[in-house]
């Protein structure tokens, strides 16, 4: 019997990107933005409406949750299924989550038809996805290490090495009266190796488990 291994969370993006294409003189401007929740997605749509207040359509699609389980799309006046749905399909096809895509359209005077709109909205989001820097997210274990001030330097150096190469992150460092508390987020498949390295360090310390979390790593 094998242990069940939880799937890794979907990727997100490191920061906002913008892409633009032109189809038959219609301008399609995509903003792809990382978000944490639905209000964040609404804020991005509202910002696009303010910036491009002369445009008729500000279509959107967003994906939220570690497995991308929460989704929504909006055609914003375009024929049903010609804007939000293809935008969402691109985000899902790229295996991204915690992102919102907003595509603003300036009409160029030529009707594109349903197929043309589907391609244009999808292609604009695709261009933004290609331009974005992906940020890998992983399920990590948060470990607290407590060490006396006199011995903290060596152990802190060891822990910070785990940050390099996207192997984890030092989440917190707290200085108490007699000890330093360091909280390290380490990928689940590397936690045993980290604990072994701590045990072999020769430094007296205490280790506590703070549970699991999802983190974006470089």
């Amino acid at each position: 019997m094998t242990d069940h291994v939880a799937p890794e969370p979907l990727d997100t993006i490191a920061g906002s990107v913008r892409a633009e294409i032109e189809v038959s003189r219609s301008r399609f401007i995509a903003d792809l933005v990382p978000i944490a929740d639905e209000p964040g997605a609404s804020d991005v749509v509202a910002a696009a409406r303010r910036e491009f207040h002369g445009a008729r359509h500000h279509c959107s699609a967003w994906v939220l949750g570690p497995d991308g389980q929460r989704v929504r799309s909006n055609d914003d006046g375009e024929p049903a299924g010609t804007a939000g749905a293809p935008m969402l399909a691109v985000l899902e096809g790229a295996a991204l989550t915690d992102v919102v895509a907003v595509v603003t359209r300036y009409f160029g005077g030529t009707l594109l038809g349903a197929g043309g709109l589907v391609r244009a909205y999808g292609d604009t989001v695709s261009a933004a996805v290609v331009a974005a820097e992906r940020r890998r997210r992983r399920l990590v274990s948060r470990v607290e290490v407590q060490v006396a001030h006199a011995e903290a330097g060596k152990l802190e150096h060891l822990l910070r090495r785990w940050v390099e190469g996207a192997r984890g992150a030092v989440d917190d460092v707290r200085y108490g009266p007699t000890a330093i508390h360091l909280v390290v987020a380490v990928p689940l498949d590397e936690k045993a190796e980290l604990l072994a390295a701590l045990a072999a360090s020769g430094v007296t310390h205490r280790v506590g488990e703070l549970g699991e979390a999802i983190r974006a790593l470089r």
Side-chain angles (χ1 to χ4, degrees), residues 86-140:
M87 293 168 60
L88 180 59
V90 171
L91 297 181
E92 293 183 315
L96 290 174
T97 192
D98 293 343
V99 292
V100 60
V102 183
V103 176
T104 297
R105 180 193 181 195
Y106 283 97
F107 182 55
T110 300
L111 297 176
L112 302 181
L117 289 173
V118 168
R119 286 189 296 273
Y121 278 101
D123 288 349
T124 312
V125 176
S126 293
V129 168
V130 169
E133 177 187 350
R134 293 181 75 97
R135 181 62 57 86
R136 186 180 184 190
R137 302 191 327 151
R138 298 183 67 179
L139 189 62
V140 300

Side-chain angles (χ1 to χ4, degrees), residues 164-216:
E164 299 175 4
R167 297 181 72 186
V170 177
D171 278 354
D172 188 29
V173 180
R174 291 180 288 109
Y175 295 87
T178 60
I180 296 177
H181 303 256
L182 301 102
V183 177
V184 179
V186 59
L188 294 184
D189 58 355
E190 298 193 28
K191 182 175 73 170
E193 185 180 346
L194 172 61
L195 295 179
L198 288 170
S201 68
V203 176
T204 301
H205 64 278
R206 293 176 58 186
V207 173
E209 299 279 351
L210 299 180
E212 296 177 357
I214 294 172
R215 286 289 308 270

